[in-house]
Amino acid sequence: MIVEIHQKYVTEEDEAAIEVETPEFVDIVVNANPTSPPYSLLFLHKLLREYYGEGVRLHTHIHSSIQGSLKDYLSIFSQLEQRPQPGHTVISITLIWKSIENETELMVNPFQQSIVHGEGNVARFISRLIPPVFPLNYDTLDWNTLSLVDGFIEQALDSQSFNLEMVESYLKGRNNTGGPFLLGGISIADFITYSAVSKLLLKDTKSINLSKQPHLTRWIRSCQQYGEFELFTM
């Protein structure tokens, strides 16, 4: 349970307060280009289910703008789908594979056509559904942590300059100080960076040699263990 993972941050009073913060119903629609899958959604879905349980549902659809079949590795999203239980859904996440220029976008208000653009902003938005007593909620971060998280997110989303060597170099310098993740403990910076790393690995599987990047390899393994999925066999 999420309370156990972050137990040092949560008091008994916090846990009691959490019970009354459960939303009645949240409907999230995410459009994503299959050429740039939002793998951060795998982590966020797992976290939401740790708190809200079976009340969190994920559905995938293919828009008519997509021609041909999807890549096999995208099935990791559809594997999260579960049969809905009427009257029990608290958070519904619909992932639509669609040919869009912005790669990932979230529809906030379908009546006003309010859209959040970019995987980083989508992750920030969805993380706010995690109860605020937990540090994975973006709005709970202190200023220093916030600046680090945002720095990693923007770096990972810069497709022109981001590369695996950057992550390896940083992790090597940290040497697992305080934990196996980018900031020691897990954060949405890991979710977005994992997503960016995965896209690079899947794009060029033949020429990339992870044996020369042991710190990156251990970090990928730690992320997948945390997310309870396996996109790559390490």
Side-chain angles (χ1 to χ4, degrees):
M1 297 292 293
I2 194 169
V3 171
E4 296 170 351
I5 293 173
H6 304 296
Q7 191 170 10
K8 66 179 180 179
Y9 297 96
V10 183
T11 65
E12 291 182 2
E13 290 77 12
D14 290 330
E15 292 185 33
I18 290 172
E19 296 302 320
V20 299
E21 293 179 2
T22 303
E24 292 184 5
F25 180 69
V26 177
D27 189 13
I28 296 173
V29 177
V30 176
N31 296 320
N33 195 315
T35 62
S36 183
Y39 292 110
S40 57
L41 195 60
L42 299 173
F43 297 98
L44 292 163
H45 175 264
K46 181 250 187 183
L47 278 169
L48 291 173
R49 282 188 63 84
E50 282 185 347
Y51 176 66
Y52 298 108
E54 294 185 357
V56 177
R57 298 288 169 182
L58 185 141
H59 319 271
T60 63
H61 297 283
I62 303 175
H63 191 264
S64 59
S65 61
I66 300 299
Q67 303 297 318
S69 57
L70 298 177
K71 298 290 187 181
D72 290 341
Y73 52 75
L74 294 180
S75 65
I76 196 169
F77 290 93
S78 58
Q79 290 169 9
L80 298 176
E81 294 190 53
Q82 293 179 310
R83 181 176 298 177
Q85 298 179 11
H88 184 67
T89 301
V90 175
I91 298 174
S92 174
I93 302 174
T94 303
L95 174 60
I96 302 176
W97 299 115
K98 187 177 181 181
S99 180
I100 54 175
E101 185 175 342
N102 291 310
E103 298 182 347
T104 300
E105 60 184 27
L106 182 148
M107 182 70 70
V108 179
N109 188 325
F111 300 104
Q112 298 179 352
Q113 294 294 299
S114 302
I115 296 176
V116 173
H117 295 286
E119 185 178 0
N121 289 327
V122 169
R124 292 180 178 105
F125 184 94
I126 295 178
S127 80
R128 294 183 173 100
L129 292 172
I130 301 169
V133 294
F134 299 124
L136 279 164
N137 181 311
Y138 181 77
D139 288 342
T140 67
L141 303 178
D142 60 59
W143 177 252
N144 288 333
T145 305
L146 190 68
S147 61
L148 289 170
V149 167
D150 280 343
F152 277 114
I153 289 175
E154 296 309 315
Q155 175 180 270
L157 294 175
D158 185 354
S159 59
Q160 298 299 315
S161 63
F162 181 75
N163 57 65
L164 303 183
E165 289 73 22
M166 295 168 64
V167 186
E168 170 68 17
S169 177
Y170 174 80
L171 291 169
K172 184 178 180 180
R174 280 199 68 256
N175 198 26
N176 259 19
T177 303
F181 301 104
L182 294 175
L183 302 181
I186 194 77
S187 72
I188 63 171
D190 293 283
F191 304 166
I192 297 298
T193 304
Y194 176 91
S195 187
V197 166
S198 298
K199 292 166 192 175
L200 288 178
L201 291 175
L202 290 168
K203 183 179 180 180
D204 195 8
T205 56
K206 294 183 179 179
S207 63
I208 295 176
N209 184 2
L210 282 178
S211 64
K212 297 180 179 180
Q213 297 168 325
H215 298 85
L216 176 63
T217 300
R218 286 196 293 270
W219 173 79
I220 292 173
R221 186 184 300 116
S222 295
C223 287
Q224 292 188 156
Q225 288 174 348
Y226 181 84
E228 299 178 354
F229 64 86
E230 189 174 65
L231 186 59
F232 306 102
T233 303
M234 311 305 294

